[in-house]
């Protein structure tokens, strides 16, 4: 069995969650002993397509001509497209129609969570849909004192500095305005937001927040490797106030780093994130500020050990075995229907 993993615009998506999903899929298939290719011109047995750009219909048509089954990995929904780029809300209904058309052209769908599966079913898509986590590389986020040291040096931090971390694109949907507002409430802490989006592509209110922010907020842009991995392990709290996700790979990264995680109480985190068990959940600015202060000042019980267990359940090795089972099921079903 050989799988074509198709991601268009690989350079463009490399800094996003979908870009990390590509890395995880390659690792997962290697660990599961599954041969794969990224070249559409190679021979393959099954197409596993991950993106929804202009090349998508062409690669699906090619697979159909060659009698190959198609699995669509649904990373995107209308809901998580809204409140992102300029005009995203106006375009969202058309984007949904585009998604439904593309996703419906497959033989089966994979999506990261039960929540996103329910959204797709609500679109009227009548195909087998499996919920499979994007997975997490546990080794990469295991505690490494050298990475923590690199993070402290990069930001010129000392042992008395207390840091609240977040990671994401500069989107309103990611909760960036709330992150800034909470930082204003807690000037005694440093707030670092890793990630980057060209400011010309986001609405004016988000541009203004990034360009004119409180003194205790740091926007280092897109940073990879030891610096961000050390930040995950060395910060005092991970605060992710996103309003909508299909999973939230950065939350998995924080859990894998045994970080104290604070998230917005939204549907995508049910049932795998449990308030005051493996994370803390809030709704309002006041609640977030209280939770962050309680975590940083160690007035609240630690939940990082259970968080690490949750990440372990979503290891890349586990994802590889789930993908292997899905590929085999789809291939068998496809060939039985075409015989």
């Amino acid at each position: 069995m050989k799988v074509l993993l198709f991601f268009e615009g690989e350079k463009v998506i490399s800094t996003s969650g979908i870009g990390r999903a590509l890395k995880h899929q390659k690792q997962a298939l290697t660990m599961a002993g599954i041969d794969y290719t990224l070249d559409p011109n190679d021979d393959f047995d099954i197409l596993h397509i991950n993106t929804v750009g202009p090349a998508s219909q062409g690669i699906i048509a090619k697979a159909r001509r060659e009698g190959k089954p198609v699995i669509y990995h649904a990373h995107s929904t209308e809901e998580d497209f809204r409140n992102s780029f300029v005009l995203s809300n106006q375009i969202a209904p058309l984007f949904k129609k585009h998604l439904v058309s593309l996703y419906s052209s497959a033989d089966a769908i994979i999506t990261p969570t039960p929540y996103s599966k329910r959204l797709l079913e609500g679109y009227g898509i009548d195909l087998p849909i499996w919920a499979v986590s994007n997975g997490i590389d546990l080794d990469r986020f295991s505690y490494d004192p050298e990475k923590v040291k690199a993070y402290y040096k990069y930001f010129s931090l000392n042992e008395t500095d207390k840091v609240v971390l977040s990671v994401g694109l500069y989107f309103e949907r990611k909760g960036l305005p709330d992150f800034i507002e909470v930082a204003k409430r807690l000037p005694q802490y440093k707030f670092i937001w890793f990630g980057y989006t060209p400011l010309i592509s986001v609405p004016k209110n988000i541009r203004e927040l990034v360009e004119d922010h409180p003194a205790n907020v740091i926007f280092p842009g897109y940073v990879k490797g030891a610096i961000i991995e050390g930040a995950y392990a060395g910060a005092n709290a991970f605060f992710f106030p996103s309003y909508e996700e299909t999973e939230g790979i950065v939350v998995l990264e924080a859990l894998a780093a045994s970080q104290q995680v604070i998230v917005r109480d939204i549907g995508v985190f049910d049932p795998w994130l449990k308030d005051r068990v493996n994370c803390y959940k809030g709704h309002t600015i006041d609640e977030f500020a209280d939770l962050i202060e309680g975590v940083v000042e160690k007035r609240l019980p630690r939940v990082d050990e259970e968080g690490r267990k949750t990440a372990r359940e979503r290891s890349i090795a586990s994802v590889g075995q789930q993908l292997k089972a899905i590929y085999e099921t789809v291939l068998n079903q496809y060939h039985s229907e075409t015989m």
Side-chain angles (χ1 to χ4, degrees):
M1 175 173 57
K2 187 173 184 179
V3 178
L4 169 59
L5 292 178
F6 186 75
F7 286 77
E8 58 187 309
E10 190 175 338
K11 290 184 179 179
V12 176
I13 66 171
S14 62
T15 61
S16 68
I18 296 178
R20 291 204 288 287
L22 168 59
K23 296 177 184 177
H24 292 175
Q25 284 176 24
K26 291 192 294 186
Q27 289 178 268
L29 268 56
T30 298
M31 294 177 78
I34 299 171
D35 194 14
Y36 72 86
T37 180
L38 303 180
D39 184 355
N41 295 315
D42 280 353
D43 188 30
F44 61 93
D45 299 299
I46 189 166
L47 168 62
H48 182 168
I49 181 170
N50 284 264
T51 44
V52 296
S56 301
Q57 290 177 321
I59 194 65
I60 291 170
K62 170 182 166 64
R64 292 301 185 205
R65 287 194 303 270
E66 298 177 359
K68 310 291 176 63
V70 177
I71 293 177
Y72 226 118
H73 208 125
H75 298 283
S76 300
T77 65
E78 178 193 15
E79 287 76 5
D80 80 348
F81 182 73
R82 289 181 176 275
N83 297 310
S84 54
F85 298 104
V86 171
L87 298 179
S88 62
N89 289 2
Q90 292 88 332
I91 298 169
L94 293 175
F95 183 66
K96 178 181 177 180
K97 289 182 180 180
H98 175 66
L99 291 180
V100 171
S101 175
L102 285 177
Y103 292 165
S104 298
S105 67
D107 296 289
I109 295 173
I110 297 172
T111 194
T113 55
Y115 170 78
S116 54
K117 177 182 177 180
R118 290 194 298 273
L119 289 180
L120 298 176
E121 290 169 341
Y123 294 174
I125 297 174
D126 186 21
L127 289 173
I129 303 176
W130 281 276
V132 179
S133 172
N134 285 306
I136 187 66
D137 184 344
L138 293 171
D139 291 339
R140 180 183 165 204
F141 293 98
S142 295
Y143 186 84
D144 182 335
E146 292 304 312
K147 291 181 179 180
V148 175
K149 188 184 298 183
Y151 147 70
Y152 267 80
K153 182 178 179 180
Y154 188 87
F155 289 104
S156 301
L157 300 172
N158 59 54
E159 292 184 359
T160 62
D161 288 321
K162 295 179 178 178
V163 177
V164 179
L165 171 70
S166 197
V167 182
L169 299 173
Y170 298 156
F171 288 166
E172 185 170 353
R173 170 176 66 82
K174 293 288 185 180
L176 180 57
D178 292 344
F179 184 84
I180 297 293
E181 187 58 37
V182 171
K184 290 179 181 177
R185 302 278 184 97
L186 301 171
Q188 68 272 34
Y189 306 144
K190 294 182 185 293
F191 284 71
I192 302 176
W193 181 288
F194 283 97
Y196 175 77
T197 310
L199 292 180
I200 194 171
S201 68
V202 297
K204 180 182 177 183
N205 66 312
I206 300 300
R207 287 199 304 272
E208 290 175 346
L209 286 176
V210 175
E211 292 173 340
D212 184 18
H213 52 77
N216 65 326
V217 175
I218 302 169
F219 287 105
Y222 177 69
V223 180
K224 62 181 181 179
I227 305 301
I228 189 169
E229 290 161 20
Y232 272 121
N236 300 91
F238 180 83
F239 173 39
F240 192 64
S242 178
Y243 285 88
E244 185 69 34
E245 299 289 325
T246 53
E247 181 172 37
I249 289 180
V250 298
V251 174
L252 285 178
E253 291 172 348
L255 294 172
S258 299
Q259 184 53 258
Q260 301 276 79
V261 172
I262 299 148
V263 298
R264 190 180 302 278
D265 190 1
I266 55 177
V268 70
F269 297 133
D270 290 329
W272 57 285
L273 288 185
K274 296 178 173 59
D275 185 32
R276 298 179 184 268
V277 176
N278 55 8
C279 73
Y280 286 98
K281 294 183 178 182
H283 298 85
T284 67
I285 300 298
D286 287 341
E287 287 179 2
F288 288 138
D290 288 345
L291 287 170
I292 288 169
E293 197 166 20
V295 165
V296 172
E297 302 303 333
K298 301 180 180 179
R299 294 197 292 264
L300 289 173
R302 295 191 66 89
V303 292
D304 52 313
E305 186 174 336
E306 288 299 318
R308 174 77 177 180
K309 289 179 183 176
T310 300
R312 195 176 301 124
E313 293 166 359
R314 288 156 178 77
S315 70
I316 287 177
S318 171
V319 169
Q321 292 304 315
Q322 292 176 72
L323 291 178
K324 182 178 182 180
I326 292 169
Y327 294 154
E328 290 172 347
T329 298
V330 172
L331 275 170
N332 291 337
Q333 182 67 26
Y334 184 81
H335 290 310
S336 68
E337 291 176 354
T338 55
M339 286 180 64

